[in-house]
Amino acid sequence: MEHERRKPHEDPSTARTGRGPTGPASRPASGPSSGPSSGSEGDGGRAGADPELDAVLSGVGPRLRRLRKEREVTLAALSEATGISVSTLSRLESGGRRPSLELLLPIARAHEVPLDDLVGAPPVGDPRVRAKPIVLHGRTALPLTSRPGGLQAFKLIQQGVSSCESPEQRTHEGYEWLYVLSGRLRLLLAEHDLVMGPGEAAEFDTRLPHWFGPADDEPVEFLSLFGPQGERMHVIARPKERRD
C-alpha cells in the first residue's frame, strides 16, 4: 500500500526525458514545421510576409555578386575586409541568406558604394503634375488638385471671343478666387463689370450672379481656386488698390 501511494511521484525517467503532457516542449520538434523557426539564417519565417520587400531583397544577391566580380574581388578578400565569413557571403550572393543591415553595411563600406546601390532603391518619382485637360465651351481647364472634395485648383485658358454685352450670369454654392496670368479677364459680379489684367486677383461668393471670360478677342490665362462648400482662399497680403 505504501508503494502504491508513492507511485505517482516515482517516475524520474519522465522528468528527465520530457515524456508526458509537457514532454514535447522540452525537445525540438522534427519535420517541416521546424524550418521557419530559423528565419534569421535564411529566408524562413519572414519570407512572403511583404511581397514588395521580398522582391527588393531577392535582387540583392545577384547585385552583390555582380559588383564583386566587376571589381575582381574574391570572397576570401571580401571576407577579410568585412569580417563576414566566406560561407555567409556566398549564401548572400546565392540567395540562401536573407540580407540584413548588419551584413550589407560592411559590404557597402568595403566596396565604397552607397547602401542604395546594394539594395537597388527606386529612383525619386517624377514630381511633374500630369493633369488631364478638360475642354468645355471653348475653355481648357487643367486640374491642379487630385483629391476629391474640398478646395479645387484649376489653370484655365480661354480663347478670345467677340464682344458680348450681356453674357448670362449664374449662381451656385461655393466661393471662388481668380488670378490672371496673361491676357485680360472680364468679371461680371452682380452689378459690377470689371476687367482684370495680369497679376490681379478677385474673390467672391458664387451665390452672387457672376460670369467671367476673355475681355476681348485675345486669349486669357488665369488660375481658379474654388471651394464648393464655401471654403475661402486666405490672402496673406493684398495689393494696394489702384486708383484710376
Side-chain angles (χ1 to χ4, degrees):
M1 293 295 291
E2 184 178 351
H3 175 74
E4 291 179 359
R5 284 196 301 270
R6 290 200 307 265
K7 189 173 183 180
H9 305 283
E10 287 183 341
D11 196 358
S13 62
T14 301
R16 288 195 302 269
T17 61
R19 293 190 182 94
T22 60
S26 63
R27 55 191 176 94
S30 58
S33 61
S34 61
S37 63
S38 58
S40 60
E41 282 296 312
D43 290 337
R46 291 173 298 189
D50 187 339
E52 186 176 353
L53 176 61
D54 288 341
V56 172
L57 294 181
S58 66
V60 172
R63 197 172 292 110
L64 292 175
R65 184 186 298 273
R66 183 171 60 251
L67 180 61
R68 184 176 59 81
K69 294 291 187 181
E70 288 174 354
R71 298 181 176 233
E72 299 181 350
V73 177
T74 64
L75 285 174
L78 186 59
S79 173
E80 184 177 352
T82 60
I84 302 172
S85 68
V86 171
S87 62
T88 298
L89 291 172
S90 177
R91 290 165 60 202
L92 275 173
E93 292 185 355
S94 65
R97 176 70 182 263
R98 188 179 179 88
S100 66
L101 194 60
E102 291 81 0
L103 295 174
L104 294 181
L105 279 176
I107 297 175
R109 282 196 294 264
H111 288 310
E112 297 182 347
V113 297
L115 188 62
D116 286 354
D117 288 1
L118 302 184
V119 298
V124 176
D126 191 338
R128 292 174 294 179
V129 177
R130 300 184 182 276
K132 184 178 181 181
I134 302 170
V135 180
L136 185 64
H137 303 309
R139 177 180 292 173
T140 301
L142 297 170
L144 302 179
T145 49
S146 57
R147 66 183 180 90
L151 196 66
Q152 302 294 309
F154 299 89
K155 178 181 179 182
L156 298 108
I157 304 171
Q158 190 167 352
Q159 299 301 317
V161 294
S162 57
S163 178
C164 181
E165 294 298 333
S166 56
E168 181 183 359
Q169 299 185 46
R170 299 179 180 273
T171 62
H172 52 83
E173 290 291 329
Y175 202 87
E176 191 147 13
W177 182 85
L178 303 175
Y179 179 84
V180 182
L181 297 171
S182 64
R184 299 174 52 188
L185 181 71
R186 183 185 182 192
L187 171 63
L188 300 181
L189 182 64
E191 70 276 9
H192 300 287
D193 189 344
L194 308 171
V195 175
M196 301 163 54
E200 292 189 307
E203 57 179 334
F204 54 90
D205 190 327
T206 55
R207 291 175 296 182
L208 293 173
H210 64 280
W211 175 92
F212 51 84
D216 46 39
D217 58 357
E218 296 294 326
V220 61
E221 185 176 357
F222 58 101
L223 300 177
S224 169
L225 297 182
F226 175 68
Q229 282 75 43
E231 291 92 342
R232 299 187 60 171
M233 171 68 183
H234 297 287
V235 180
I236 297 176
R238 296 176 182 270
K240 293 182 178 180
E241 294 183 358
R242 290 190 313 176
R243 294 184 179 179
D244 298 330

